Structure formats: C-alpha cells, structure tokens
Amino acid sequence: MKMREVAERFRHMLKVKDCRHLCLTCEYYEICKREVNADEYEIRNEK
C-alpha cells in the first residue's frame, strides 16, 4: 500500500465515526468512501 493511500484511508477514518472497522485494513473501504461522498454531496445541495 502506498503512503498516499494510507494517508487517504486515515483521513477517511476520521470522518466516519460510526464504523467499528479500521479503514487501513477494511475490505469495504471503497464502498464506504463512495457512500460518504454521496451523503456529503446531498447535504451540500440541500443548503
């Protein structure tokens, strides 16, 4: 795993506080990341 990917996963882990998994080793990271980004997009468009 590249250092940039590790940093990205760590930043994502700080955003997602309701998940009990460690993003560095999570097999569902890509799915979770897409869901969080979609939720943030919807919140921004509601304002």
Side-chain angles (χ1 to χ4, degrees), residues 1-45:
M1 194 178 310
K2 294 181 181 179
M3 191 63 174
R4 180 175 283 174
E5 186 178 352
V6 169
E8 182 180 320
R9 285 179 177 237
F10 189 75
R11 282 192 302 269
H12 181 74
M13 190 171 55
L14 295 175
K15 278 189 204 176
V16 184
K17 297 182 181 188
D18 60 339
C19 181
R20 297 182 190 267
H21 294 280
L22 181 66
C23 291
L24 296 173
T25 58
C26 185
E27 62 185 275
Y28 303 111
Y29 169 73
E30 291 298 325
I31 297 168
C32 180
K33 183 178 169 189
R34 276 186 254 133
E35 288 176 357
V36 168
N37 287 341
D39 290 344
E40 287 177 353
Y41 180 78
E42 288 176 10
I43 289 170
R44 275 188 256 135
N45 286 336

